[in-house]
Amino acid sequence: MSRVIGDITISLDGFVDGTGDGVEALHAWALASDDPVDAAELATVATAGAVVMGRGTFDVVDGPHGWQDGLGYGAREDARPPFFVVTREAPASVRLAATHDVSFVTGGPAAAVAAARRAADGADVYVMGGGATVGSFLAARLLDVLQLHVAPQVLGSGTRLFTGSAHRLVQRDVRVSRAAAHLTYEVLTPAP
């Protein structure tokens, strides 16, 4: 069975987004680094069998300044597995529909994971996006693995990934580049 992997970039002070210049620097490991460790991380996420994301993240990547040719899931890897967007309602139009397999799931996170697992056909399912999405999947015990890309940035404010629920994690891998520390944890809290 495929693993469900929460994959997110986070600042040293625990924020996944914020305001100002720090936010762009937060993702420099994926967008601008020439370090081979960062390239290997991007190549790994590009092997996803399917990807789940929240509606807020989808609206950004589908927007006019979002994913373009050569820049998409996995940053420069521009991977195009099936995408499942957790939302209350599908948007009226989708710019990426011509180039990406996008489905909208209104039944919540568990329904999105089930659909993504079917589409992934045994390959790993990645949950990407904002802290609210990845954090809610972690809180709902839907993640098997949590991958954190810790950028050397202190944002001071923004959206936190961890917001009050306790989780038991076991560190499985650490890779360090000049732009980020890539941490992989097995989530021991059993999935429902």
Side-chain angles (χ1 to χ4, degrees):
M1 179 182 271
S2 61
R3 298 176 304 164
V4 179
I5 301 170
D7 187 71
I8 194 162
T9 299
I10 190 167
S11 67
L12 284 174
D13 54 346
F15 296 103
V16 298
D17 64 27
T19 58
D21 296 335
V23 175
E24 190 168 312
L26 192 68
H27 299 284
W29 75 269
L31 299 172
S33 174
D34 62 356
D35 192 299
V37 172
D38 298 325
E41 287 296 315
L42 294 174
T44 298
V45 300
T47 66
V51 174
V52 176
M53 70 178 83
R55 177 66 185 271
T57 298
F58 178 76
D59 287 346
V60 170
V61 301
D62 191 52
H65 301 291
W67 288 346
Q68 307 293 330
D69 285 341
L71 181 65
Y73 186 67
R76 314 181 280 278
E77 294 291 325
D78 194 16
R80 300 192 184 193
F83 293 93
F84 295 86
V85 180
V86 180
T87 185
R88 287 187 180 91
E89 103 181 48
S93 65
V94 177
R95 179 182 64 83
L96 293 175
T99 56
H100 293 70
D101 178 2
V102 180
S103 299
F104 296 92
V105 180
T106 58
V113 166
R117 275 193 159 138
R118 284 190 300 273
D121 196 27
D124 289 334
V125 171
Y126 279 73
V127 177
M128 68 166 288
T133 298
V134 175
S136 69
F137 278 63
L138 183 62
R141 300 180 178 177
L142 294 170
L143 300 182
D144 301 307
V145 175
L146 180 62
Q147 288 183 177
L148 300 177
H149 309 284
V150 183
Q153 300 294 319
V154 176
L155 297 180
S157 64
T159 303
R160 291 198 176 275
L161 175 60
F162 304 109
T163 58
S165 54
H167 303 283
R168 188 159 172 240
L169 308 173
V170 174
Q171 187 169 288
R172 294 296 183 206
D173 192 27
V174 175
R175 296 184 212 177
V176 179
S177 73
R178 292 182 307 274
H182 306 284
L183 311 174
T184 301
Y185 298 94
E186 178 182 353
V187 180
L188 293 185
T189 307

